[in-house]
Amino acid sequence: MTMELLRKPKIINVGARNFHDSLIAQGADSVHVDWKPPAGGDQEMMKLLDKLDKL
Amino acid sequence: MAVKSLVLKNEYRDSIFLMRISKKLEELEGVQKASAIMATDANKDLLRDAGMLTDEVKGASSNDLVIVIDAASSERAVEAISGAEGILAEEAMKRVEEAEVIYKTLDSAIGAEPESNLVLISVPGEFAAREAERALRGGKHVMIFSDGVSEEDEIRLKRLGKEKGLLVMGPDCGTAIINGIGLGFANVVKRGPVGVVAASGTGAQEVTSLISAGPGISHAIGTGGRDLHDEVGGIAMLMGLQSLADDPGTEIIVLISKPPSPEVAKRILKAASEVGKPTVVNFLGGDPKIIEKINLIPAVTLEDAAAKAIALQRGEKPKRVTFSADLNEVKNTAEKEYKRIGPNQRYIRGIYSGGTFCSEAMLIVRDLVGDVYSNAPLKPKLKLKDSNKSKEHTFVDMGEDEFTAEIGKPHPMIYHELRQKRILQDASDPETMVILLDVVLGYGAHEDPAGALAPTLREAKKIAEREGRYLPVVASVCGTPQDPQNLTAQEKKLKDAGVVVMPSNAQAARMAALIATKGEAWNKMVG
Amino acid sequence: MGEIDKANEEAVKKILEAKPVAIGVKKAKDVIPGMKERMLLHAGPPIEWKRMSGPTRGAVIGATIFEGWVDKEEGAVKLAERGEIEFAPCHDHDAVGPMAGVISPSMSVYIVENQTHGNKVYCNFNEGLGKVLRYGAYSTEVIDKLKWMEKEMSPLLTEAFKRSGPIDLKEIISKALHMGDECHCRNVATSLLFLKTMTPHVIETGFDGEIIGRVMKFMSDNVLTFLNLLMPACKAMLDAGHGIEYSTIVTALTRNGTDFGIRVSGLPGQWFTAPAPTPETLFFPGFKKGDEGRDIGDSAIAETMGLGGFASANSPAVVQVVGGTPQDAANYSREMREITVAKHTSFTMPFMNFEGTPLGIDIRKVVETGILPFINTGVAHKDPGVGGVGFGLVRAPMDCFKKALRAFAEKYG
């Protein structure tokens, strides 16, 4: 599995936009996720979502 | 001192963008402190500590963007606040305009991009583990740039990754180079047969930059700073090692870390010896004999690791490098600096952005000048009581939490204000004899670090001059001529400001020690 | 794949398999399950008289007069206050109604049947724009029009359907999407296609030419004629995917001018409500900010089905309502992808490279991303007795989804 990565990294960038921009500037394959805190930071909802994830 | 704030509900921007905004706001007239941040509980605490927590901001939620200005007068504060939204909009427009789709969640990106194989995570620490787990369950390798992830989570994630044959680089992994592509903070390096696995981002940066002048780099795999702790067990380094072992493009391997626990060291060295490719090991400050015994090649500094890797690849005998320039030249340069120093100037003041550079420099210098105090010392008794005040020989790592946790999380590789302040502070201290710095280039770093520091360094020297002293400044620049900032151009800017520029962190430390001992350390160094 | 994702896949499968067809016209009291003599159905989640919004009250008053239970406004109000009228959501009786959505026993309704699974949904006739019952108006002219619709439009359509056989509504929607409709605020192509199909059969009924003329003109002039077939078609498809254990798919988004309510597949029998938001409105001439009422109508069933606001990208004309460029409209559709689990296989958007419309709103995704379903809607005046004031944009409120998630975790967690 790692061999594929070493051959051609295809990146999903989550968080700081400038890392994605740097990757594009290098001609790399990258997409950007304009990340926001899940559930707007609502702790109760995050716990529920994580609980349901396990089902 | 007037504080005014603005709350933008349900507006979110990433922390690096907000840092740029904070910086722009502080450039406004009369503004003493400015902060553009998300109103998380942690950030509110920081604002409170800075006397900037207004009632309005107190009532804001972690989903809201808040701008707080501390200005010389109420009028200035109000002016700055009214300019703030305009600045936000302007900066947002400067972002790369593109026709491609931007995803709002990792899940939708994974769903729409089945070919992807690596997720690079730089979200706030408290959310990073969650995203990393999703990435792993989605079958992707992970690089966690974020720090502030618990060791418990790190262990859980790395075990999950191991189970699935997926690499977990990090947390707190600042640098990786995969197949010529730099991830996070990385330099533009030549491609070649040397592969690196590093538990230090700046360590990886220096080694790859130096090897770039030689045969070149296949990949640099990061592991995160805690990988070689007992509990984590070196999972990432072992996996990285295996990948380089399997990679036909890698002929020589370099391993870099602070000294791992003996148990973990044993495991890693054993694995490395079984790979069958020549391997250089730099466990900073570790015992070289253990490494030699198992037929691997020990290196004492980052530069030494690079030099040995280059020599191995060329089939030459690895040489020990003290200084790479002509030794007489080096002696003369040092003399020119130290002969102008006053009798009361006694101490080296290292002001670092990279933790590994700071540690390495302290190791080199302590044998030559004596104990060095630090906020990240080699011995607990040498810990600074107040990180903001230098004591005797002091090397401060300004990338450490107590500096970067300040409002806006400005890392000194991007944001220079804290280092500039410290340089001037130490320059004003009559006992400061030499100032020692690292400057880091590459993707992710400031667009012109030498340009940001040079005026401050000139000012520092002037301060000393005005008070009848001479202040030498020694620096090394980590990078390559192909970096966006261009190593050659950056070194020149520093030289023009009167800085003694050395080709590596280790040599810069030695030069500082040479100056500080007025040449007496010479025999110890070259003998 | 987890239980929830499996269940959602099942729900989407059923929704895609559904085939809604219009089979005829009958009076509400004769076909709507549970319809009683002194009952009025209304749009949105359950609501009692004293909390009813202006437009809903207006429609209740008008319907009461239309039914002949009273002859004046005051009488209607007294009846309602004394609890002598039973109110119920259209949704709870296999029906839907646009805006105030009041359906009374003597009103004619279209019968839409999902041929694949057998379930049926009912909806009244669309009255056109302006001063109409569904916008809360109840003047004589409103009542007279309703009476005329019963007198001439209803019998004609009843006969025409007998001759035409089932009309494939899914096909009309698919085609109309390729003709610039988003099928909520813009139903120009759908209405055209429907009328084209019905015209020969209308003529074949042999009814008086002038009646045919009046009815056809009325239906042709009304750009929203098909809305009242689109809505039951959407509900018929979504109901096929309702009641599936472990599914987090939203099967209804709806409002009554006071509350916004959602229904979730894995939580049958429950409503999750929050205060209805006020739409950002583009006003008809003569109206201004401050006139608009709160979000109202069962018509958000279109968005629930991936049409309307979710298909914004598809309607360059509606773009003016969304206040921007075609790029903005495309972005709304893209945004809705983040909160849906699938793409429709028959409803595709030429302006998005024929990509299927976003289908299957997942409450988990809404809560996680903070992205709320985006709705294009008609806007009523906030007071009873006035009528429609414009078109607008609104987002479903987050609280509905949080409540649903809590209930879901309690039931299945």
Side-chain angles (χ1 to χ4, degrees):
Chain A
M1 255 215 180
T2 327
M3 291 328 295
E4 240 177 72
L5 170 67
L6 296 188
R7 232 189 315 266
K8 179 130 198 352
K10 293 184 193 217
I11 297 131
I12 296 177
N13 181 61
V14 184
R17 172 72 197 237
N18 72 331
F19 287 152
H20 167 74
D21 293 341
S22 299
L23 288 167
I24 298 293
Q26 295 176 72
D29 201 317
S30 172
V31 295
H32 180 63
V33 174
D34 182 21
W35 183 89
K36 288 182 166 53
D42 182 331
Q43 289 292 339
E44 183 210 351
M45 287 294 134
M46 267 171 63
K47 283 203 185 82
L48 290 181
L49 287 169
D50 286 342
K51 193 167 165 206
L52 295 179
D53 236 6
K54 309 236 157 69
L55 288 180
Chain B
M1 286 273 278
V3 178
K4 288 264 180 289
S5 64
L6 173 67
V7 174
L8 297 166
K9 290 200 85 50
N10 293 314
E11 296 256 357
Y12 178 87
R13 303 286 188 280
D14 69 55
S15 57
I16 293 189
F17 177 79
L18 289 177
M19 275 160 44
R20 276 178 27 220
I21 300 298
S22 304
K23 187 171 193 297
K24 288 229 148 208
L25 291 170
E26 285 184 347
E27 287 166 5
L28 297 175
E29 175 122 13
V31 171
Q32 287 159 350
K33 260 196 278 195
S35 185
I37 40 166
M38 300 309 297
T40 60
D41 286 341
N43 282 344
K44 283 184 195 172
D45 286 348
L46 295 173
L47 286 173
R48 183 189 310 116
D49 294 342
M52 287 167 78
L53 183 63
T54 63
D55 283 335
E56 188 184 26
V57 169
K58 216 186 279 184
S61 86
S62 62
N63 222 18
D64 302 336
L65 201 172
V66 302
I67 298 181
V68 190
I69 304 277
D70 186 354
S73 68
S74 195
E75 293 78 28
R76 291 281 179 232
V78 169
E79 247 170 59
I81 288 286
S82 55
E85 277 191 280
I87 289 176
L88 261 176
E90 224 178 83
E91 285 301 307
M93 289 208 296
K94 286 192 188 146
R95 295 181 158 208
V96 173
E97 202 70 81
E98 56 189 20
E100 69 188 7
V101 181
I102 294 185
Y103 300 96
K104 298 281 171 88
T105 60
L106 176 56
D107 281 342
S108 57
I110 289 177
E113 306 280 342
E115 303 277 299
S116 63
N117 49 28
L118 176 76
V119 179
L120 169 52
I121 297 169
S122 58
V123 303
E126 65 222 80
F127 299 108
R130 195 168 179 271
E131 298 299 316
E133 181 162 353
R134 279 175 180 204
L136 291 170
R137 295 202 184 280
K140 316 290 180 191
H141 301 279
V142 170
M143 174 174 166
I144 307 174
F145 177 90
S146 316
D147 63 3
V149 176
S150 73
E151 188 158 353
E152 205 182 296
D153 279 336
E154 176 172 355
I155 294 168
R156 188 174 49 83
L157 290 167
K158 283 181 170 168
R159 288 198 180 144
L160 178 59
K162 185 171 170 186
E163 215 179 279
K164 292 172 157 281
L166 296 168
L167 203 47
V168 176
M169 297 190 277
D172 198 18
C173 173
T175 302
I177 303 176
I178 308 285
N179 200 23
I181 302 293
L183 293 131
F185 293 115
N187 302 90
V188 180
V189 302
K190 190 205 287 182
R191 295 227 58 208
V194 181
V196 175
V197 188
S200 153
T202 40
Q205 287 192 262
E206 169 121 317
V207 170
T208 54
S209 295
L210 291 172
I211 295 177
S212 182
I217 298 291
S218 57
H219 312 280
I221 295 171
T223 67
R226 264 187 322 226
D227 192 57
L228 273 55
H229 282 195
D230 253 323
E231 298 78 14
V232 186
I235 292 178
M237 183 161 280
L238 288 167
M239 245 180 142
L241 185 56
Q242 190 57 49
S243 311
L244 293 180
D246 296 336
D247 175 38
T250 299
E251 293 166 16
I252 316 269
I253 296 173
V254 180
L255 303 180
I256 299 167
S257 171
K258 285 197 184 165
S261 84
E263 184 51 51
V264 177
K266 226 195 294 175
R267 242 183 283 154
I268 290 179
L269 293 174
K270 180 165 187 290
S273 70
E274 286 167 2
V275 167
K277 295 182 183 178
T279 301
V280 179
V281 181
N282 178 20
F283 286 161
L284 190 67
D287 183 358
K289 291 206 203 61
I290 305 178
I291 297 167
E292 275 165 349
K293 232 197 267 185
I294 205 170
N295 283 327
L296 304 173
I297 297 115
V300 292
T301 63
L302 297 166
E303 173 182 52
D304 192 30
K308 291 199 162 122
I310 294 172
L312 276 172
Q313 199 276 337
R314 290 179 177 157
E316 293 165 4
K317 195 166 186 300
K319 268 187 320 196
R320 177 82 168 260
V321 175
T322 309
F323 290 109
S324 36
D326 173 74
L327 291 182
N328 280 320
E329 250 184 67
V330 171
K331 254 195 181 171
N332 289 335
T333 303
E335 200 183 324
K336 255 198 284 189
E337 296 293 315
Y338 66 65
K339 76 172 182 219
R340 298 156 72 183
I341 291 172
N344 296 321
Q345 290 177 263
R346 289 206 211 104
Y347 301 122
I348 309 178
R349 299 285 158 82
I351 304 169
Y352 282 89
S353 62
T356 305
F357 292 155
C358 187
S359 301
E360 182 178 78
M362 281 193 290
L363 268 171
I364 290 170
V365 150
R366 77 167 167 196
D367 289 338
L368 304 168
V369 304
D371 282 338
V372 180
Y373 286 88
S374 175
N375 60 329
L378 297 174
K379 285 206 203 84
K381 71 168 184 172
L382 295 171
K383 186 156 169 79
L384 286 170
K385 264 209 207 71
D386 177 0
S387 304
N388 287 303
K389 278 207 178 66
S390 301
K391 173 185 173 156
E392 297 171 24
H393 296 297
T394 293
F395 286 16
V396 65
D397 173 7
M398 310 230 28
E400 272 291 312
D401 271 351
E402 69 255 51
F403 297 106
T404 62
E406 199 181 291
I407 301 157
K409 280 193 180 288
H411 193 284
M413 269 161 58
I414 302 174
Y415 180 69
H416 290 98
E417 186 172 304
L418 291 180
R419 278 226 287 179
Q420 288 162 341
K421 284 199 176 108
R422 189 55 175 259
I423 289 168
L424 294 177
Q425 182 186 300
D426 279 324
S428 310
D429 179 349
E431 291 193 309
T432 300
M433 192 185 207
V434 187
I435 286 188
L436 178 55
L437 302 169
D438 62 343
V439 178
V440 183
L441 311 180
Y443 281 113
H446 191 279
E447 65 206 359
D448 182 10
L453 290 168
T456 308
L457 296 171
R458 284 199 173 89
E459 172 73 26
K461 281 173 168 278
K462 278 215 189 70
I463 290 174
E465 205 183 303
R466 260 180 261 138
E467 297 175 8
R469 305 191 293 277
Y470 176 71
L471 183 60
V473 179
V474 181
S476 70
V477 184
C478 172
T480 67
Q482 291 75 34
D483 280 334
Q485 303 89 343
N486 188 343
L487 174 67
T488 322
Q490 292 282 295
E491 286 182 331
K492 180 166 192 310
K493 269 192 192 168
L494 293 172
K495 285 180 186 150
D496 288 347
V499 176
V500 175
V501 179
M502 303 301 288
S504 72
N505 183 58
Q507 290 186 44
R510 283 184 205 118
M511 173 58 82
L514 198 52
I515 294 171
T517 57
K518 305 216 167 136
E520 277 178 28
W522 184 256
N523 290 324
K524 240 202 209 158
M525 270 191 249
V526 298
Chain C
M1 194 188 278
E3 283 300 322
I4 297 177
D5 290 331
K6 250 196 289 187
N8 289 347
E9 218 177 64
E10 171 72 17
V12 166
K13 181 163 171 287
K14 291 227 156 74
I15 293 169
L16 289 174
E17 282 170 352
K19 186 176 178 185
V21 299
I23 59 174
V25 168
K26 281 252 160 69
K27 293 228 184 267
K29 66 186 172 203
D30 294 331
V31 281
I32 292 185
M35 189 58 153
K36 301 202 188 98
E37 261 180 36
R38 282 281 166 113
M39 179 185 248
L40 292 178
L41 302 180
H42 60 79
I47 186 98
E48 56 292 12
W49 168 257
K50 63 177 194 292
R51 284 211 314 132
M52 275 184 191
S53 63
T56 310
R57 285 185 176 221
V60 164
I61 292 167
T64 309
I65 297 170
F66 164 76
E67 287 290 327
W69 300 335
V70 297
D71 34 51
K72 287 208 289 250
E73 175 183 342
E74 302 85 57
V77 172
K78 279 212 187 82
L79 226 59
E81 279 173 353
R82 289 205 299 255
E84 287 179 30
I85 302 174
E86 192 174 334
F87 297 110
C90 291
H91 265 294
D92 286 346
H93 289 262
D94 292 346
V96 278
M99 301 311 285
V102 171
I103 298 178
S104 67
S106 311
M107 280 184 191
S108 294
V109 294
Y110 291 115
I111 306 166
V112 171
E113 179 181 5
N114 168 7
Q115 281 183 336
T116 315
H117 305 104
N119 54 306
K120 293 196 177 78
V121 181
Y122 309 93
C123 185
N124 54 4
F125 296 157
N126 195 286
E127 311 154 80
L129 289 169
K131 262 179 171 283
V132 289
L133 188 78
R134 74 176 188 285
Y135 278 117
Y138 51 85
S139 61
T140 317
E141 113 193 43
V142 172
I143 310 295
D144 284 347
K145 185 193 270 182
L146 288 173
K147 289 195 169 144
W148 168 81
M149 283 160 74
E150 289 308 312
K151 179 155 178 260
E152 294 194 342
M153 182 170 161
S154 176
L156 180 60
L157 288 180
T158 305
E159 268 311 300
F161 271 112
K162 287 190 186 141
R163 287 156 205 289
S164 68
I167 305 285
D168 188 338
L169 301 176
K170 194 167 173 180
E171 190 187 356
I172 290 177
I173 296 169
S174 302
K175 286 197 173 130
L177 285 169
H178 292 185
M179 293 164 70
D181 276 357
E182 34 75 282
C183 301
H184 182 165
C185 287
R186 206 187 123 104
N187 271 291
V188 174
T190 50
S191 303
L192 206 59
L193 289 166
F194 174 65
L195 287 175
K196 177 187 85 133
T197 311
M198 290 306 279
T199 301
H201 307 294
V202 163
I203 296 172
E204 279 167 16
T205 63
F207 274 42
D208 182 68
E210 293 199 0
I211 294 176
I212 290 180
R214 279 194 287 272
V215 174
M216 292 307 283
K217 181 165 196 322
F218 172 68
M219 292 177 74
S220 301
D221 285 349
N222 181 7
V223 286
L224 294 174
T225 286
F226 191 81
L227 180 64
N228 292 43
L229 284 160
L230 175 103
M231 289 170 54
C234 288
K235 181 172 166 64
M237 291 185 276
L238 286 160
D239 279 353
H242 185 70
I244 293 180
E245 292 265 298
Y246 281 97
S247 172
T248 50
I249 300 296
V250 175
T251 49
L253 295 169
T254 183
R255 347 50 133 213
N256 56 34
T258 310
D259 294 330
F260 195 113
I262 72 172
R263 296 192 339 149
V264 177
S265 177
L267 299 166
Q270 294 184 60
W271 281 104
F272 302 100
T273 63
T278 305
E280 204 180 308
T281 307
L282 196 65
F283 289 97
F284 296 144
F287 295 104
K288 62 187 193 310
K289 191 151 168 57
D291 290 341
E292 69 276 30
R294 283 162 47 189
D295 201 23
I296 189 169
D298 284 333
S299 58
I301 199 76
E303 276 77 9
T304 317
M305 207 39 223
L307 303 169
F310 282 45
S312 285
N314 205 51
S315 296
V318 179
V319 158
Q320 293 164 87
V321 180
V322 310
T325 62
Q327 185 62 43
D328 291 330
N331 286 339
Y332 284 122
S333 287
R334 273 201 202 103
E335 211 192 3
M336 294 302 100
R337 291 222 178 289
E338 297 278 351
I339 55 173
T340 48
V341 302
K343 295 183 184 168
H344 208 289
T345 48
S346 320
F347 300 158
T348 59
M349 298 181 283
F351 293 106
M352 297 276 279
N353 287 321
F354 292 96
E355 225 177 67
T357 53
L359 177 67
I361 300 167
D362 185 340
I363 58 174
R364 298 173 301 169
K365 288 179 182 243
V366 173
V367 173
E368 164 126 23
T369 63
I371 294 171
L372 297 167
F374 175 73
I375 302 166
N376 297 340
T377 183
V379 183
H381 196 283
K382 63 181 192 266
D383 298 327
V386 184
V389 299
F391 284 106
L393 319 172
V394 75
R395 298 238 185 205
M398 179 53 86
D399 241 15
C400 294
F401 302 91
K402 286 189 175 175
K403 284 180 179 164
L405 197 67
R406 247 179 241 127
F408 191 92
E410 217 185 287
K411 178 169 180 185
Y412 296 104

